[in-house]
Amino acid sequence: METRTQKADNIRGVIRYLQKFKNATIVIYLDDKLFDSPLFSSHIKDIALLHEAGLKVVIVPGAKKRIDEVLNLASITWSYKDNIRITDDSAMPLIKMAAFDVSNIVMTNLAANKVNAVIGNWVRSRSKGILEGQDFGTAGEIDKLQTEAVQKILDDGFIPIFPCIGWNSSGHPYNISSIHLAQNIATSLKADKLFFVMENKEITSDNYKIPEGYALSESGDVPAMSVEEVTGFLEANNGSKNSSDIVFRLLDLAQDACKKGVTRVHILNGNLDGVLPCEIFSELGSGTMIYTNDYGGIRQMTSGDIPRVLGLMRPFFESGKLLTRTEEQLISQIDDYVVYEFDGGIRACASLHKYPDGQAEIAAVAVNENFKHMGIGEKMIRFLLDRAASMKIESVFILTTQAADWFQSLGFKADSIESLPPERRAKWTPERNSKVFRK
């Protein structure tokens, strides 16, 4: 059962995220396979709530399913090359109609939630032309986005909706990739977040090979990957931007978007209710987030961190996993402590205490329950082991009552109480009966 403290922490998290993302720009790609889902109206309602919460929302609806339908009805054939649809000019009016159909569906549903939206022709494009002898017909590439016009619409309180159509300077239309369009919009607007809301797409250990050391949730999902880890994941799975597996293409686009300034990209399973608000306002998240290295990291604890660190430690004091510590104790040992911070919150802490005989102790290891699946604890331990090595410390020990298996998985070996430095051995009690592990 969730305790009052946990409930309070969750509420504080929502408030912190509301403050952080007020006036933030987010770009949402909606897979049109979701439009027939009973959850579609729920996703639209969530988007309306995000808009009402002060976020600036841009929507790019996919149109592949609808384009397939209208071309099939007209008995028009098409082919694919590198995941690009190739048709002749006779198909373009129907492609344009299908693209605006899905955009109108989104706009109508937003209107039902009392949100104003506008569909526009803000994309300038050119013909993809002929590459290596292949004529790409009606397929186009993005030349330019009218970002100033889009920004004005956002500032006026409207949600811009982008059909997957671009026009050249003469007004000739071209069919452009919706997922590439969403990524291009996010980078051009310097969006804070880019979401790909897909039909039944998740990155899990059941579906893909997960390289060693990547964070996994208890259910086997990959909650987050850095831009560097994306490369390792793609290599491990022989994935590429031209793969038939759309997840690989989305990861390639996500990695590129992050390198171009988009803070975070999220791949979400649209078959789950509430994925958008959970991913934005919840510390648990609901999909896979791609992030740059400045998303979070380990740093030295400061005096201003101490109230938050004590709040992080409190559940561990109450469960007996950690010895109780006071503000005065943390201040006196402040140089020994490091914290893991992201999204403005302290998510983990740990300390390294050096003893006169040359040994060192890793202590006060605490990771927020909502983030334990992300591998933060292991990163903290490895960071402190590297710090110990730089201090020429050859032996590091820990004392634990409930985390022996975890420390053993990190390479620590059981040792005796007698091996401890005298001053630390004097504090050991048979009542607590902590076990010693050493590396």
Side-chain angles (χ1 to χ4, degrees):
M1 180 181 292
E2 191 176 42
T3 66
R4 183 178 297 276
T5 299
Q6 289 170 325
K7 289 178 181 177
D9 284 341
N10 289 336
I11 293 170
R12 292 183 189 115
V14 171
I15 293 171
R16 182 168 57 251
Y17 284 122
L18 279 169
Q19 293 171 332
K20 180 178 179 64
F21 292 115
K22 187 174 178 62
N23 295 319
T25 299
I26 64 172
V27 177
I28 302 172
Y29 168 84
L30 285 175
D31 188 344
D32 68 328
K33 292 178 182 177
L34 297 170
F35 286 27
D36 296 327
S37 164
L39 290 178
F40 178 67
S41 60
S42 179
H43 292 319
I44 294 295
K45 187 177 291 293
D46 286 340
I47 291 172
L49 288 172
L50 297 178
H51 175 73
E52 291 168 7
L55 284 76
K56 296 179 178 179
V57 181
V58 179
I59 299 177
V60 182
K64 181 180 183 299
K65 179 174 177 289
R66 182 59 180 145
I67 293 173
D68 287 350
E69 291 171 352
V70 297
L71 293 184
N72 281 331
L73 286 172
S75 299
I76 293 177
T77 60
W78 69 91
S79 62
Y80 279 99
K81 172 70 173 176
D82 295 335
N83 299 299
I84 298 170
R85 187 192 300 270
I86 300 172
T87 64
D88 59 30
D89 288 341
S90 66
M92 197 61 222
L94 294 175
I95 292 174
K96 188 165 65 172
M97 180 187 74
F100 277 85
D101 276 353
V102 295
S103 294
N104 274 305
I105 290 171
V106 173
M107 185 169 69
T108 300
N109 279 268
L110 286 171
N113 286 275
K114 298 180 174 55
V115 173
N116 294 318
V118 58
I119 301 169
N121 60 341
W122 305 291
V123 183
R124 293 291 169 262
S125 66
R126 65 183 186 277
S127 169
K128 192 167 183 66
I130 301 172
L131 296 174
E132 298 179 351
Q134 174 66 62
D135 187 348
F136 281 85
T138 57
E141 292 189 339
I142 300 168
D143 253 345
K144 182 181 179 182
L145 296 177
Q146 296 179 341
T147 52
E148 291 183 4
V150 176
Q151 192 61 59
K152 177 68 165 57
I153 289 165
L154 289 169
D155 292 341
D156 288 342
F158 290 82
I159 292 181
I161 301 173
F162 281 74
C164 58
I165 303 294
W167 289 263
N168 68 10
S169 57
S170 302
H172 187 83
Y174 293 101
N175 181 202
I176 54 182
S177 163
S178 298
I179 58 174
H180 283 83
L181 176 59
Q183 190 244 29
N184 199 294
I185 294 168
T187 57
S188 297
L189 292 177
K190 296 178 171 51
D192 297 272
K193 286 179 175 287
L194 167 60
F195 295 93
F196 292 108
V197 186
M198 311 301 298
E199 187 211 29
N200 202 30
K201 296 297 180 185
E202 293 179 301
I203 302 177
T204 73
S205 55
D206 290 336
N207 301 327
Y208 299 97
K209 181 180 179 181
I210 311 300
E212 186 177 354
Y214 283 46
L216 284 176
S217 69
E218 292 179 358
S219 60
D221 300 328
V222 179
M225 278 191 271
S226 68
V227 290
E228 290 79 14
E229 286 176 328
V230 169
T231 299
F233 177 87
L234 292 173
E235 289 175 351
N237 290 275
N238 296 316
S240 71
K241 63 183 179 181
N242 292 325
S243 171
S244 60
D245 188 331
I246 192 169
V247 167
F248 296 149
R249 307 201 314 264
L250 293 178
L251 285 172
D252 180 76
L253 290 172
Q255 187 181 51
D256 184 62
C258 286
K259 290 177 179 178
K260 291 179 179 176
V262 178
T263 309
R264 295 159 214 172
V265 182
H266 306 257
I267 300 173
L268 306 181
N269 181 1
N271 291 61
L272 302 176
D273 193 16
V275 288
L276 281 164
C278 282
E279 191 71 8
I280 296 177
F281 297 129
S282 166
E283 294 177 341
L284 290 171
S286 57
T288 297
M289 176 180 68
I290 314 305
Y291 63 94
T292 53
N293 277 337
D294 58 0
Y295 165 70
I298 300 170
R299 62 170 175 79
Q300 197 68 38
M301 184 177 75
T302 67
S303 58
D305 297 325
I306 290 177
R308 292 186 290 174
V309 170
L310 286 171
L312 172 69
M313 289 179 172
R314 190 171 296 113
F316 296 87
F317 298 158
E318 294 170 352
S319 67
K321 293 178 181 178
L322 289 182
L323 286 171
T324 301
R325 288 163 172 82
T326 66
E327 183 174 350
E328 290 73 21
Q329 286 175 314
L330 294 187
I331 290 173
S332 68
Q333 297 179 317
I334 194 167
D335 291 339
D336 294 352
Y337 278 84
V338 293
V339 297
Y340 195 99
E341 179 185 25
F342 56 77
D343 273 350
I346 302 298
R347 311 305 184 185
C349 65
S351 61
L352 180 71
H353 307 305
K354 185 178 179 181
Y355 290 89
D357 67 353
Q359 297 186 59
E361 176 186 11
I362 290 178
V365 181
V367 181
N368 183 298
E369 182 72 16
N370 293 335
F371 293 84
K372 66 179 184 179
H373 60 284
M374 293 180 65
I376 293 173
E378 182 177 346
K379 291 178 183 178
M380 299 286 280
I381 297 298
R382 297 198 185 286
F383 179 87
L384 291 179
L385 288 174
D386 287 343
R387 173 175 285 190
S390 70
M391 296 166 64
K392 309 301 182 185
I393 293 170
E394 295 185 1
S395 179
V396 177
F397 67 89
I398 62 96
L399 286 99
T400 184
T401 58
Q402 301 178 43
D405 291 339
W406 184 65
F407 282 108
Q408 286 179 308
S409 74
L410 297 178
F412 286 80
K413 306 293 184 183
D415 206 346
S416 66
I417 301 301
E418 290 71 25
S419 69
L420 297 177
E423 54 268 63
R424 184 65 183 90
R425 189 166 63 247
K427 296 178 182 179
W428 183 90
T429 64
E431 291 77 19
R432 185 168 174 81
N433 195 27
S434 300
K435 303 301 181 186
V436 179
F437 290 85
R438 186 178 298 279
K439 189 168 185 176

